[in-house]
């Protein structure tokens, strides 16, 4: 499937509302200037394709909010938004591809636990992303293992890193990049403002959200 200058190749993920594809560019010469400015060298592109008939008004509102928030952010610990397209049937959101999948996958392949050095590095990078979001007055509101993405810059494969690579990954000899993704419930909020919206994943919710109390960017 082709969308403007992007060719949607193999499926790398999905959910209730859409599918995530690994993409290729038809032509480097046709990359939009704003997209080129955001793209980092040697990083591939992924696309989240959402089917309009499956999306209600509430989901569309959150989707537009997600795109707006992602366009305002640019930091290596936050998933890098590239551009969005809309057709009569679908919405396509293009962003940088993270070849390691999510943190849940890495944790499971590591037998349910990390050694201390790897755990410290993952937490350090997540904290960098959270500090950046807080500085920009943005709440994520759905932080969980599935929404923390992993990229291995030393992995030489074309697609997602293999299970064997993740099992054998050693922080002593290889690099890891941790990225906060899926900003579907993210919201910009001024420092003095509070909100009371109930959203996120129940098992991962902050107590303030779960109990219907007012909260601000500190909720993450």
């Amino acid at each position: 499937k082709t969308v403007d200058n992007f060719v949607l190749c193999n499926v790398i993920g999905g959910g209730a509302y859409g599918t995530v594809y690994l993409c290729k560019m038809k032509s480097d010469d046709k990359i939009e200037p704003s997209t080129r400015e955001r793209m980092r060298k040697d990083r591939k592109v992924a696309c989240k394709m959402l089917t309009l008939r499956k999306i209600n008004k509430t989901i569309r509102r959150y989707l537009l909010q997600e795109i707006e928030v992602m366009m305002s952010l640019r930091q290596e610990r936050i998933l890098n938004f590239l551009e969005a397209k809309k057709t009569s049937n679908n919405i396509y959101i293009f962003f940088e591809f993270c070849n390691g999948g999510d943190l849940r996958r890495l944790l499971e392949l590591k037998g349910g636990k990390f050694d201390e050095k790897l755990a410290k590095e993952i937490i350090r990078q997540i904290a960098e992303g959270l500090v950046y979001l807080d500085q920009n007055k943005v709440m994520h509101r759905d932080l969980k293992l599935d929404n923390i993405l992993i990229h291995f810059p030393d992995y030489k494969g074309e697609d997602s890193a293999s299970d064997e690579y993740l099992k054998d990954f050693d922080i002593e000899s290889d690099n890891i990049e941790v990225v906060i993704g899926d900003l579907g419930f993210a919201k910009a909020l001024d420092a003095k403002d509070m909100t009371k919206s109930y959203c996120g994943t129940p098992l991962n919710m902050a107590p303030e959200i779960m109990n219907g109390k007012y909260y601000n960017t500190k909720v993450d």
Side-chain angles (χ1 to χ4, degrees):
K1 186 177 180 65
T2 301
V3 181
D4 288 350
N5 195 38
F6 296 96
V7 179
L8 278 55
C9 303
N10 51 309
V11 176
I12 56 174
Y17 302 107
T19 307
V20 180
Y21 295 86
L22 184 61
C23 301
K24 290 183 178 179
M25 294 285 191
K26 289 172 60 180
S27 172
D28 288 343
D29 297 333
K30 294 182 179 179
I31 300 174
E32 295 182 6
S34 59
T35 303
R36 188 184 296 279
E37 183 183 347
R38 285 179 169 270
M39 290 180 69
R40 288 186 287 175
K41 186 179 180 182
D42 300 326
R43 286 297 293 269
K44 294 182 173 63
V45 177
C47 172
K48 185 191 326 185
M49 184 187 79
L50 299 112
T51 306
L52 287 171
R53 60 181 172 79
K54 295 182 179 180
I55 303 173
N56 59 32
K57 290 183 178 180
T58 300
I59 298 299
R60 288 193 191 194
R61 186 177 76 249
Y62 278 124
L63 181 60
L64 292 173
Q65 186 172 279
E66 177 184 10
I67 293 172
E68 183 178 343
V69 169
M70 289 181 73
M71 287 179 67
S72 71
L73 303 174
R74 192 169 180 185
Q75 203 255 6
E76 60 185 355
R77 301 293 166 236
I78 308 299
L79 187 62
N80 193 13
F81 169 83
L82 300 177
E83 62 180 81
K85 304 284 184 184
K86 181 182 177 183
T87 64
S88 57
N89 296 317
N90 303 307
I91 293 175
Y92 302 87
I93 303 175
F94 297 92
F95 49 87
E96 278 189 338
F97 170 58
C98 294
N99 62 18
D102 59 44
L103 190 55
R104 183 180 300 280
R105 179 190 178 210
L106 179 61
L107 184 62
E108 290 174 350
L109 289 172
K110 285 290 187 181
K113 62 182 179 181
F114 297 134
D115 61 59
E116 184 175 347
K117 189 164 185 178
L118 178 56
K120 287 169 68 175
E121 180 59 22
I122 290 172
I123 292 169
R124 182 188 69 79
Q125 293 192 37
I126 293 173
E128 285 182 356
L130 288 176
V131 167
Y132 176 79
L133 289 177
D134 185 59
Q135 289 173 341
N136 286 270
K137 308 298 185 294
V138 171
M139 303 178 292
H140 187 284
R141 300 195 292 184
D142 196 23
L143 289 168
K144 55 185 178 181
L145 294 175
D146 312 72
N147 291 340
I148 305 296
L149 305 179
I150 305 294
H151 183 72
F152 299 103
D154 301 319
Y155 183 70
K156 303 304 180 185
E158 288 295 318
D159 299 328
S160 299
S162 65
D163 288 355
E164 290 73 20
Y165 185 89
L166 270 67
K167 287 178 183 178
D168 297 335
F169 175 79
D170 184 359
I171 191 65
E172 297 283 355
S173 56
D174 297 304
N175 295 310
I176 186 171
E177 296 177 4
V178 183
V179 179
I180 297 174
D182 200 340
L183 280 76
F185 290 124
K187 182 178 181 179
L189 193 72
D190 289 338
K192 296 180 181 179
D193 291 341
M194 305 283 279
T195 188
K196 203 177 180 181
S197 302
Y198 183 90
C199 62
T201 304
L203 288 176
N204 300 89
M205 276 183 185
E208 295 88 347
I209 299 178
M210 178 69 76
N211 294 320
K213 296 182 178 180
Y214 284 98
Y215 59 86
N216 59 16
T217 56
K218 301 298 182 184
V219 74
D220 288 334

